[in-house]
């Protein structure tokens, strides 16, 4: 037993604490950098005027839900401290506004909402005229707001409304349109007393730094047009502003800092140039999001709670609450980071920093997601997406941390704590008797005979070989194997079991019944394996340790070098045995897989033999032996080589079986992994619970794909109800895809001795299994029993079938995602960052299905050159 001195313990404690605190402080620094103060020119005067829509947070004029008089009074009293003027858009809906404004000494540019419905237009005009006659603080009126831009009326009809209003009122009359409408319709200028223009640089995709110059340029152009028609006619900027949130529009980024920067600069420029204007707008109007997109809710200088978003003087901070959020994120991550640093202090310091930063970033994302509703006016659809994404985001973070732990341990460990090599027995060392069990079903006889010949050549004295033929009906397949066993001698015994239940586990349990009584160890190999002659001699010595119950070698493959499909699958398998198995072996938590494995016989029998209720009896046995307190030894030495699956169908069915069986085991043995009384160690519980998380990620990927396709369909066909998710929802998903891909590729380059080309091919092979794994996960969770499908290692076929028959579901999903991408580009376009990110996510979701098509085609083109 190693005794660690007190100074060493103290040193490791302080080292772990130092690293933890440094990462926590760096996190606060990152939040501070993102929210660093913005220095803007101060504004000490009054605002020229505010465009005022009076709806409260949950009110909606399109649903005839209007504010009360007391709410209007409260708004106007507040706004009167900032400006002497208001602009309204409708006179029929809130006729109290001019009267209340007059009480607070304010003038009103009153509006009549004009659209395609004549009845409403008449009602609005009547209300406007009545208000203007009744309230002498209405100093100007606006008939129609962007009516021509929307195409609600032809110009001649709008001119008729303008002329009627001018004839009945003694105050100046105008209509409000953007510059291009005035440019296309100069005759409209003759029928207004002043020209009202809307100049909103955000909608023109102008970056904020160029926005003031853009507004001045538009005004100059308009001045030239007006002077050609009606020289000297006044120009009023009816709407000018910048949104504080919502979708980016190419170079135009909505943010509180940008809104403050634009408006404070504008106030100073407008005062210097004596420009008449109304800011768009006084107060945020969340209801507008449903009719004009997310950004429409965020044009206010005040938020919907009637709080100022920024000050007119001093610096501006994008998120004033960032210190609380940063502190919460650091506190949330502090204990997990310190625990990890203390337990894995042996890792190189770079590795400690890397994983602790990953933990801290995860905590920051969780805090950000939890506080997101406070920064946005979330619609019911937004809430739905948030409620769906938050648990999914949590699962994604867990998967990322689990993969990150594996990455950190493999890359930055100084050494493996549990590393086992082949033994070199000395002359006279005892040889335990080994009973080798070879279960087969409908295997090509020549392949099985090759395996038997390799077993006959073992450099070992005390062993037997039991061939357990399980329900092979055609005598032409199993009879030659029986004859070959007889030819090899008394060590080789053949058993034809028909009919026989329990799949492979049932055959292996029969093998236990007929095993030689002298056997101390049971070894299991697949029917396609050629073993090294020193397999037993180099490994059975580990059983001298009474705690050892299993000695396991990696699955390995042969005859793949000249077959492109077998090559890519060979390297895909190799990654797990060179990376994942070492990672699990550190905590005595390896997956016991069903070939090249040796098990102590009495332990196997006494713990219940092979489980026939699961189609992954080998993995279940390993977990059972760990629970019983035994050790499992993983020797990363290629002591035998088999064949990869013969074609893509076999490759998929094998991984489906593994995923289905994993869910069977998880359901049946979940209490072993979560119960406080379980004898499994924390490390074993961790690996058996989290080892399947990547597969859960594949299942989650399928759910996301279906949801994304439905959402895209909604955005294309019903854009009034479905809109692009906020980019803040999407960035973490893109980050997850990138991190996960980077982890896999880097680990391969470090641990797997293959070329870059083989690394990419192995990645394609791995991703091609995503849908099969997802189906296995869902069906394993839903169904109790599964069918053990033999993985074909060799096929004899004549004409080749359609290469995509085995991937019909993947083909449909791939085509559907491509259609979604095409629909997005055609309908919404790529002008928004959110649109680009959504298309990127759809493309990323299509990668596994595209990989399956590539894998199926490569398998088809490669053919079967083995067997």
């Amino acid at each position: 037993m190693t005794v660690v001195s007190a100074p060493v313990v103290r040193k490791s404690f302080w080292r772990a604490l130092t690293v933890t605190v440094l990462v926590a402080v760096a996190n606060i620094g990152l939040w501070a950098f993102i929210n660093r103060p913005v220095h803007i020119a101060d504004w000490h005067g009054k605002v020229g005027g505010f465009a005022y829509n009076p709806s409260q947070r949950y009110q909606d004029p399109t649903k005839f839900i209007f504010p009360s008089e007391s709410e209007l009074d409260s708004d106007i009293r507040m706004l009167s401290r900032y400006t002497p003027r208001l602009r309204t858009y409708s006179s029929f809906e809130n006729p109290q506004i001019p009267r209340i404004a007059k009480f607070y000494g304010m003038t009103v540019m009153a509006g009549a909402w004009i659209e395609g419905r004549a009845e409403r237009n008449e009602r609005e005009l009547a209300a406007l005229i009545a208000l203007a006659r009744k309230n002498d603080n209405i100093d100007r009126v606006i008939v129609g707001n962007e009516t021509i831009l929307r195409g609600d009326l032809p110009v001649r009809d709008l001119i008729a409304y303008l002329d009627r209003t001018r004839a009945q009122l003694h105050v100046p009359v105008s209509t409000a349109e953007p510059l291009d409408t005035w440019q296309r319709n100069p005759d409209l200028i003759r029928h207004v007393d002043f020209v009202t223009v809307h100049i909103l640089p955000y909608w023109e995709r102008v970056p904020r730094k160029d926005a003031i110059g853009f507004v001045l340029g538009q005004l100059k152009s308009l001045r030239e047009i007006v002077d050609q028609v009606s020289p000297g006619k006044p120009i009023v900027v009816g709407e000018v502003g910048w949104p504080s949130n919502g979708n980016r529009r190419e170079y135009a980024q909505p943010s509180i800092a940008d809104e403050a920067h634009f408006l404070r600069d504008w106030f100073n420029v407008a005062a210097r140039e004596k420009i008449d204007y109304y800011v768009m707008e006084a107060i945020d109007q969340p209801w507008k999001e449903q009719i004009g997109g997310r950004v429409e809710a965020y044009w206010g200088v005040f938020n919907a709670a009637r709080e100022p978003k920024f000050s007119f003087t001093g610096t501006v901070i994008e998120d004033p609450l960032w210190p609380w959020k940063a502190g919460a994120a650091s506190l949330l991550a502090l204990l997990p980071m310190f625990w990890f640093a203390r337990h894995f202090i042996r890792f190189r310091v770079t590795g400690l920093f890397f994983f602790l930063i990953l933990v801290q970033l995860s905590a920051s994302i969780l805090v950000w997601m939890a506080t997101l509703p406070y920064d946005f006016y979330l619609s019911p659809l937004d809430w739905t997406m948030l409620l769906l994404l938050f648990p999914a985001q949590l699962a994604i973070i867990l998967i990322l941390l689990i993969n990150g732990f594996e990455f950190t341990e493999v890359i930055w460990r100084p050494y493996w704590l549990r590393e086992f090599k082949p033994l070199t027995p000395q002359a006279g060392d005892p040889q335990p008797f080994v009973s080798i069990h070879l279960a087969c079903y409908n295997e090509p006889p020549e392949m099985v005979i090759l395996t038997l010949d390799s077993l006959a050549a073992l450099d070992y004295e005390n062993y037997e070989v039991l061939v357990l033929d399980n329900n092979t009906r055609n005598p032409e397949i199993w009879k030659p194997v029986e004859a070959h066993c007889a030819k090899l001698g008394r060590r080789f015994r053949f058993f034809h079991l028909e009919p026989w239940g329990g799949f492979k586990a049932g055959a292996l349990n029969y093998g236990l019944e007929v095993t030689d009584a002298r056997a101390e160890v049971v070894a299991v190999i697949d029917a396609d394996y050629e073993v090294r002659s020193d397999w037993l001699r180099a490994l059975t010595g580990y059983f001298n340790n009474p705690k050892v119950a299993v000695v396991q070698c990696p699955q390995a493959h042969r005859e793949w070098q000249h077959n492109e499909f077998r090559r890519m699958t060979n390297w895909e398998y190799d990654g797990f045995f060179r990376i994942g198995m070492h990672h699990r072996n550190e905590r005595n938590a390896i997956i016991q897989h069903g070939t090249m494995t040796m098990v102590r016989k009495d332990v196997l029998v006494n713990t219940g033999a092979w489980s026939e209720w699961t189609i992954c009896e080998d993995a279940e046995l390993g977990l059972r032996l760990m629970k019983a307190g035994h050790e499992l030894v993983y020797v990363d030495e290629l002591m035998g080589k088999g064949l990869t699956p013969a074609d893509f169908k076999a490759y998929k069915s094998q991984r489906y079986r593994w995923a289905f069986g994993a869910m069977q085991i998880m359901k049946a043995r979940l209490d072993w992994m979560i119960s406080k009384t379980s004898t499994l160690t924390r490390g074993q519980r961790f690996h058996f619970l989290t080892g399947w998380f990547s597969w859960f990620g594949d299942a989650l990927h399928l759910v996301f794909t279906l949801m994304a396709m439905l959402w895209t369909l909604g955005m294309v066909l019903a854009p009034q109800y479905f809109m692009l998710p906020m980019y803040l929802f999407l960035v973490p998903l893109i980050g997850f895809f990138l991190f996960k891909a980077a982890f896999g590729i880097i680990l391969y380059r470090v641990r797997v001795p293959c070329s870059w080309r083989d690394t990419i091919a192995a990645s394609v092979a791995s991703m091609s299994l995503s849908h099969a794994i997802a189906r296995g996960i869902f069906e394993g969770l839903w169904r109790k029993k599964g069918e053990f499908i033999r993985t074909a290692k060799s096929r004899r076929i004549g004409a080749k079938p359609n290469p995509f028959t085995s991937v019909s579901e993947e083909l449909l999903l791939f085509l559907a995602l491509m259609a979604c991408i095409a629909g997005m580009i055609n309908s919404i376009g790529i002008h928004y960052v959110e649109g680009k990110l959504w298309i990127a996510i759809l493309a990323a979701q299509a990668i596994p299905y595209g990989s399956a098509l590539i894998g199926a085609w490569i398998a088809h083109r490669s053919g079967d050159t083995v067997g």
Side-chain angles (χ1 to χ4, degrees), residues 787-841:
E787 182 180 356
F788 189 104
I789 300 174
R790 178 184 72 94
T791 303
K793 303 298 179 68
S794 178
R795 293 197 192 278
R796 293 187 178 92
I797 55 178
K800 291 184 178 181
N802 187 305
F804 302 123
T805 301
S806 61
V807 288
S808 56
E809 292 180 6
E810 289 92 330
L811 177 60
L812 287 174
L813 287 167
F814 181 79
L815 292 176
L817 285 166
M818 291 300 102
C820 287
I821 291 174
M824 284 289 297
I825 294 172
N826 184 59
S827 62
I828 296 175
I830 55 174
H831 300 302
Y832 300 102
V833 167
E834 285 80 0
K836 295 176 182 177
L837 286 174
W838 188 255
I839 290 171
I841 286 176

Side-chain angles (χ1 to χ4, degrees), residues 33-323:
F33 176 78
I34 294 172
N35 293 279
R36 59 194 181 279
V38 178
H39 298 276
I40 310 170
D42 290 341
W43 173 249
H44 296 282
K46 291 275 190 177
V47 175
F50 278 126
Y52 175 50
N53 279 287
S55 296
Q56 303 289 311
R57 170 67 179 91
Y58 295 104
Q59 293 172 353
D60 184 348
T62 65
K63 298 176 181 177
F64 305 103
I65 304 173
F66 302 109
S68 65
E69 182 153 341
S70 63
E71 289 170 333
L72 291 172
D73 185 272
S74 177
D75 280 354
I76 296 171
R77 181 173 66 251
M78 174 190 71
L79 294 175
S80 69
R81 297 196 293 267
Y82 294 88
T83 183
R85 303 192 303 171
L86 296 177
R87 176 195 171 183
T88 63
Y89 292 85
S90 170
S91 294
F92 180 78
E93 291 176 351
N94 297 284
Q96 313 98 310
I97 291 176
R99 173 173 51 80
I100 298 171
K102 182 177 181 179
F103 180 80
Y104 291 105
M106 303 178 76
T107 61
V108 177
M109 182 166 75
W113 188 262
I114 302 298
E115 56 180 41
R117 294 178 293 176
E119 182 181 352
R120 176 183 173 126
N121 294 343
E122 293 298 332
R123 189 169 63 233
E124 279 283 346
L125 277 180
L128 174 65
I129 292 167
L131 282 178
R133 289 173 174 172
K134 183 177 180 181
N135 298 278
D136 59 4
N137 64 321
I138 294 180
D139 58 351
R140 294 184 285 205
V141 299
I142 299 289
V143 178
N145 183 71
E146 298 183 352
T147 308
I148 304 302
L149 176 67
R150 291 193 307 273
D152 288 348
L153 288 178
V155 174
R156 64 177 181 275
D157 290 354
L158 180 59
I159 288 175
Y161 283 127
L162 287 167
D163 290 345
R164 283 173 53 194
T165 307
R166 294 172 72 197
Q168 297 181 65
L169 293 177
H170 299 291
V171 296
V173 177
S174 182
T175 189
E177 295 285 347
L179 172 63
D180 59 344
T181 300
W182 294 107
Q183 288 174 326
R184 291 195 308 270
N185 303 281
D187 191 51
L188 189 61
I189 297 172
R190 297 187 178 91
H191 295 269
V192 297
D193 299 310
F194 61 97
V195 176
T196 306
V197 65
H198 292 172
I199 309 177
L200 300 167
Y202 163 83
W203 288 117
E204 305 302 325
R205 305 180 177 89
V206 177
R208 196 274 313 153
K209 64 182 179 64
D210 301 326
I212 297 295
F214 174 82
V215 175
L216 295 177
Q218 293 247 307
L219 282 174
K220 182 180 178 182
S221 298
L222 181 59
R223 182 78 269 167
E224 293 172 355
I225 297 168
V226 171
D227 285 347
Q228 291 175 8
V229 179
S230 299
K233 184 166 285 189
I235 295 175
V236 175
V237 180
E239 288 182 359
V240 63
W242 195 271
S244 63
N245 215 329
N247 303 331
R248 179 196 292 268
R249 190 168 172 83
E250 287 195 11
Y251 304 109
Q253 168 66 56
S255 73
I256 290 176
D258 280 345
E259 182 182 26
H261 211 145
F262 173 81
L263 285 177
R264 280 163 59 170
D265 284 349
W266 171 252
F267 295 155
N268 284 283
V269 168
R272 185 179 70 242
E273 302 293 331
K274 296 181 172 53
I275 300 172
D276 196 351
Y277 69 89
Y278 293 82
V279 170
M280 173 65 187
E281 62 187 315
I283 299 167
D284 280 351
Q285 297 293 293
W287 65 272
K288 290 185 179 181
E289 184 173 330
Q290 302 303 315
I291 59 172
R294 181 169 288 110
V295 76
E296 287 286 9
Y298 300 97
W299 287 86
V301 174
F302 300 86
N303 63 26
R306 276 51 186 171
E307 301 164 338
K309 296 179 183 177
F310 54 87
S311 171
F312 287 174
T313 60
T315 58
V316 173
I317 298 174
E318 182 66 28
D319 182 1
L321 297 177
W322 76 260

Side-chain angles (χ1 to χ4, degrees), residues 17 29 68 98 228 276 293 426 601 651 658 704 708 722 725 810 819 840:
L17 184 61
S68 65
Q228 291 175 8
D276 196 351
Q426 302 299 315
K601 180 192 171 186
Y651 186 46
W658 291 354
F704 271 168
F722 294 85
E810 289 92 330

